[in-house]
mmCIF file of all heavy atoms in Angstrom:
data_model
loop_
_atom_site.group_PDB
_atom_site.id
_atom_site.type_symbol
_atom_site.label_atom_id
_atom_site.label_comp_id
_atom_site.label_asym_id
_atom_site.label_seq_id
_atom_site.Cartn_x
_atom_site.Cartn_y
_atom_site.Cartn_z
ATOM 1 N N THR A 52 -6.791 1.389 40.331
ATOM 2 C CA THR A 52 -6.265 2.587 40.976
ATOM 3 C C THR A 52 -6.955 2.864 42.295
ATOM 4 O O THR A 52 -6.405 3.536 43.179
ATOM 5 C CB THR A 52 -6.282 3.814 40.096
ATOM 6 O OG1 THR A 52 -7.664 4.056 39.767
ATOM 7 C CG2 THR A 52 -5.537 3.571 38.783
ATOM 8 N N SER A 206 -20.160 24.032 9.789
ATOM 9 C CA SER A 206 -19.378 24.827 10.742
ATOM 10 C C SER A 206 -18.561 23.878 11.653
ATOM 11 O O SER A 206 -17.345 24.104 11.942
ATOM 12 C CB SER A 206 -20.249 25.663 11.585
ATOM 13 O OG SER A 206 -19.453 26.387 12.546
ATOM 14 N N LEU A 465 19.135 26.913 -6.555
ATOM 15 C CA LEU A 465 20.565 26.941 -6.405
ATOM 16 C C LEU A 465 21.292 26.560 -7.585
ATOM 17 O O LEU A 465 20.988 25.612 -8.319
ATOM 18 C CB LEU A 465 20.935 25.937 -5.270
ATOM 19 C CG LEU A 465 20.509 26.302 -3.798
ATOM 20 C CD1 LEU A 465 20.760 25.124 -2.888
ATOM 21 C CD2 LEU A 465 21.143 27.538 -3.315
ATOM 22 N N ARG A 491 27.030 22.112 -10.278
ATOM 23 C CA ARG A 491 28.087 21.373 -9.666
ATOM 24 C C ARG A 491 27.846 21.086 -8.160
ATOM 25 O O ARG A 491 27.206 21.895 -7.532
ATOM 26 C CB ARG A 491 29.438 22.054 -9.798
ATOM 27 C CG ARG A 491 29.890 22.157 -11.210
ATOM 28 C CD ARG A 491 31.240 23.019 -11.373
ATOM 29 N NE ARG A 491 31.722 23.020 -12.726
ATOM 30 C CZ ARG A 491 31.281 23.844 -13.671
ATOM 31 N NH1 ARG A 491 30.273 24.705 -13.419
ATOM 32 N NH2 ARG A 491 31.711 23.786 -14.894
ATOM 33 N N MET A 545 35.840 4.417 -4.021
ATOM 34 C CA MET A 545 36.401 4.416 -2.686
ATOM 35 C C MET A 545 35.333 4.416 -1.580
ATOM 36 O O MET A 545 35.643 4.310 -0.427
ATOM 37 C CB MET A 545 37.259 5.663 -2.498
ATOM 38 C CG MET A 545 38.474 5.737 -3.449
ATOM 39 S SD MET A 545 39.269 7.412 -3.438
ATOM 40 C CE MET A 545 39.723 7.503 -1.689
ATOM 41 N N LEU A 622 25.767 -7.625 -5.271
ATOM 42 C CA LEU A 622 24.480 -7.065 -5.702
ATOM 43 C C LEU A 622 23.375 -7.967 -5.284
ATOM 44 O O LEU A 622 23.338 -9.199 -5.537
ATOM 45 C CB LEU A 622 24.450 -6.809 -7.156
ATOM 46 C CG LEU A 622 25.108 -5.589 -7.705
ATOM 47 C CD1 LEU A 622 24.990 -5.476 -9.205
ATOM 48 C CD2 LEU A 622 24.568 -4.346 -7.091
ATOM 49 N N LEU A 652 13.987 -6.096 -15.626
ATOM 50 C CA LEU A 652 14.361 -6.000 -16.991
ATOM 51 C C LEU A 652 13.239 -5.492 -17.867
ATOM 52 O O LEU A 652 13.168 -5.780 -19.036
ATOM 53 C CB LEU A 652 14.850 -7.361 -17.517
ATOM 54 C CG LEU A 652 16.055 -7.998 -16.803
ATOM 55 C CD1 LEU A 652 16.285 -9.390 -17.344
ATOM 56 C CD2 LEU A 652 17.313 -7.110 -17.008
ATOM 57 N N LEU A 685 11.409 -19.520 -20.057
ATOM 58 C CA LEU A 685 11.570 -20.875 -19.846
ATOM 59 C C LEU A 685 12.760 -21.162 -18.821
ATOM 60 O O LEU A 685 13.764 -20.527 -18.915
ATOM 61 C CB LEU A 685 11.916 -21.650 -21.155
ATOM 62 C CG LEU A 685 10.839 -21.405 -22.257
ATOM 63 C CD1 LEU A 685 11.272 -22.112 -23.533
ATOM 64 C CD2 LEU A 685 9.499 -21.848 -21.833
ATOM 65 N N ARG A 771 -8.289 2.000 -19.437
ATOM 66 C CA ARG A 771 -8.298 3.248 -20.102
ATOM 67 C C ARG A 771 -8.381 4.395 -19.022
ATOM 68 O O ARG A 771 -9.168 4.364 -18.039
ATOM 69 C CB ARG A 771 -9.609 3.369 -20.932
ATOM 70 C CG ARG A 771 -9.636 2.419 -22.145
ATOM 71 C CD ARG A 771 -10.677 2.934 -23.107
ATOM 72 N NE ARG A 771 -11.963 3.158 -22.470
ATOM 73 C CZ ARG A 771 -12.921 2.245 -22.395
ATOM 74 N NH1 ARG A 771 -12.754 1.034 -22.826
ATOM 75 N NH2 ARG A 771 -14.094 2.555 -21.809
ATOM 76 N N PRO A 807 -27.012 -29.989 -20.127
ATOM 77 C CA PRO A 807 -27.358 -31.267 -20.852
ATOM 78 C C PRO A 807 -28.041 -32.265 -19.946
ATOM 79 O O PRO A 807 -27.948 -32.220 -18.690
ATOM 80 C CB PRO A 807 -25.929 -31.715 -21.281
ATOM 81 C CG PRO A 807 -25.074 -30.552 -21.225
ATOM 82 C CD PRO A 807 -25.636 -29.671 -20.168
ATOM 83 N N GLU A 931 -11.216 -36.956 -5.343
ATOM 84 C CA GLU A 931 -10.774 -38.255 -4.886
ATOM 85 C C GLU A 931 -11.089 -38.448 -3.386
ATOM 86 O O GLU A 931 -12.266 -38.433 -2.993
ATOM 87 C CB GLU A 931 -9.280 -38.420 -5.090
ATOM 88 C CG GLU A 931 -8.995 -38.508 -6.621
ATOM 89 C CD GLU A 931 -7.586 -38.933 -6.940
ATOM 90 O OE1 GLU A 931 -6.721 -38.793 -6.051
ATOM 91 O OE2 GLU A 931 -7.310 -39.280 -8.089
#
Side-chain angles (χ1 to χ4, degrees):
T52 58
S206 179
L465 293 171
R491 292 175 175 83
M545 299 169 58
L622 281 180
L652 299 173
L685 305 179
R771 295 196 309 266
E931 293 189 345

